[in-house]
Amino acid sequence: MGVVLVKFFRSRPVDEASALRGSVAWSRGREGARDLLERFGVAVRLGELGEWRDAEPVFRELVPPMTREFGPRSKETLGLWVQLAMSWSGQGRPDEAVPLLAETEDVYEQTWGPEAATIWCRRMLVEALGVANRIDERVAASASVVRYCASELGDADPLTREVRFGDLIALCDADRQDEALRELAEKIVPHLKKPFDLDWAEAARLEITAELGDPALAVPPLRELAARHARHGFFRQCLADVLVLTDDHAEAASLLTSLVAEFWSGWRQTLRNRGTLAQIHPDPEVAAFHAREVLAAVAWPVGHPEVIAAQEVLDRLG
């Protein structure tokens, strides 16, 4: 059974990660501009797969040669610092990442102004605060990014809209769903035109409303949206989250299992879904498997709710 579980629930493309590690080893010591950027791109991809333990030393090695080649305030070098900070956060060390991200954000702003890269750095700071479970600081930082984008780019800009969607998550994680619903209705929906974007907003509204009470009311419309957009994991994610609230664990587990298999929305969301599966899966062996995967990833610091919940599952199951 254990072999079957590993084969069926593995969510990281291990073959790709192995190939990337080989590429890093092969290119080490080559320091032309193109070689540096290629090695940087390989490390970034390792991070996207959640392989931060392998990515971090590459980022560290690249700091001196990329600083010499591109300059200390170049987008290439600043992007390297952001990725190094993300590698710390990705290994459950967000308190190390936050100061570096804050410092890098200041340099981005002073050097490049309100560009996408500056906003990206600010968003990574918000993410690191979330990993650290510094809830109030995260909400404040997220609101700051929203104000910055709205001021510099305008409310209708796609990047502003994307940042506002991220702000909804920060607010809901802080149990401020009423504020999230107001932002969605007043600041996001009026700027949406495409049917897909409107459906996305409606799914978000339904899930947030479900968190405030009567989640069963949200299930039928979310089923319809998930069927309409069967290829997009977001709608299945919303439906699964609400089904958990209604205690329909069997269907929720089925949806979450498919999202884990697809590596939907990246490595950290996959771990969050594993954490939920550990809580609700009817098969104790499968539940324990997901709990162990969450803990083995070391993606959050000790004491984070995700870590506590996974450990409690293992303690309960023995």
Side-chain angles (χ1 to χ4, degrees):
M1 180 64 171
V3 174
V4 174
L5 281 173
V6 170
K7 181 178 179 181
F8 185 74
F9 289 111
R10 188 182 300 282
S11 65
R12 292 179 295 180
V14 175
D15 290 344
E16 181 184 357
S18 298
L20 290 168
R21 293 187 195 99
S23 176
V24 167
W26 177 82
S27 64
R28 188 166 278 122
R30 304 161 70 95
E31 296 196 357
R34 181 175 177 179
D35 297 312
L36 294 172
L37 291 177
E38 285 183 355
R39 194 151 78 249
F40 175 65
V42 168
V44 169
R45 180 57 183 158
L46 281 168
E48 290 173 351
L49 298 176
E51 303 288 347
W52 292 110
R53 294 183 188 89
D54 293 306
E56 180 188 358
V58 181
F59 292 136
R60 287 184 179 277
E61 292 169 6
L62 285 170
V63 170
M66 285 187 65
T67 302
R68 288 193 301 269
E69 181 69 31
F70 302 107
R73 302 172 76 92
S74 68
K75 291 182 181 178
E76 292 84 358
T77 302
L78 294 176
L80 172 61
W81 285 116
V82 173
Q83 291 289 347
L84 178 59
M86 290 171 64
S87 76
W88 297 342
S89 181
Q91 295 175 81
R93 293 149 49 199
D95 288 335
E96 296 176 46
V98 167
L100 178 55
L101 287 167
E103 181 181 347
T104 306
E105 174 193 337
D106 288 340
V107 179
Y108 259 123
E109 175 63 30
Q110 294 166 14
T111 309
W112 300 102
E115 290 200 357
T118 305
I119 295 166
W120 169 65
C121 181
R122 289 187 169 210
R123 294 176 71 184
M124 294 305 99
L125 175 58
V126 173
E127 179 180 314
L129 289 168
V131 175
N133 204 34
R134 291 158 62 172
I135 295 173
D136 292 340
E137 292 176 76
R138 178 193 181 193
V139 169
S142 181
S144 175
V145 179
V146 168
R147 289 193 299 271
Y148 182 83
C149 290
S151 173
E152 298 292 344
L153 306 176
D155 281 325
D157 188 89
L159 187 51
T160 302
R161 187 169 69 237
E162 185 178 329
V163 166
R164 284 195 185 279
F165 269 117
D167 194 47
L168 300 183
I169 298 172
L171 287 169
C172 289
D173 285 350
D175 294 326
R176 294 164 64 171
Q177 283 84 355
D178 288 332
E179 294 175 55
L181 287 171
R182 282 197 299 274
E183 181 170 11
L184 180 62
E186 297 173 7
K187 299 295 185 179
I188 296 177
V189 172
H191 301 288
L192 302 179
K193 298 291 187 289
K194 297 178 180 179
F196 177 85
D197 293 338
L198 289 166
D199 283 351
W200 184 290
E202 177 61 7
R205 185 192 70 80
L206 287 165
E207 180 171 353
I208 296 169
T209 303
E211 292 174 2
L212 291 172
D214 281 336
L217 296 176
V219 172
L222 280 172
R223 283 193 200 283
E224 181 180 340
L225 288 169
R228 186 183 307 163
H229 304 286
R231 293 186 177 183
H232 203 290
F234 174 76
F235 299 93
R236 280 178 286 141
Q237 181 75 61
C238 291
L239 176 57
D241 292 344
V242 172
L243 287 169
V244 171
L245 296 176
T246 66
D247 293 326
D248 188 346
H249 292 170
E251 185 178 359
S254 176
L255 289 167
L256 290 171
T257 298
S258 72
L259 292 167
V260 166
E262 294 170 18
F263 204 61
W264 179 77
S265 198
W267 67 278
R268 192 176 289 281
Q269 183 60 44
T270 296
L271 286 175
R272 291 191 189 99
N273 286 338
R274 285 190 183 280
T276 304
L277 282 165
Q279 297 285 328
I280 69 168
H281 203 285
D283 184 329
E285 187 174 357
V286 175
F289 172 82
H290 287 296
R292 287 192 295 270
E293 287 289 293
V294 171
L295 295 176
V298 198
W300 291 279
V302 174
H304 190 280
E306 295 279 357
V307 175
I308 293 173
Q311 187 59 58
E312 286 178 347
V313 168
L314 294 181
D315 291 343
R316 184 177 73 249
L317 295 176

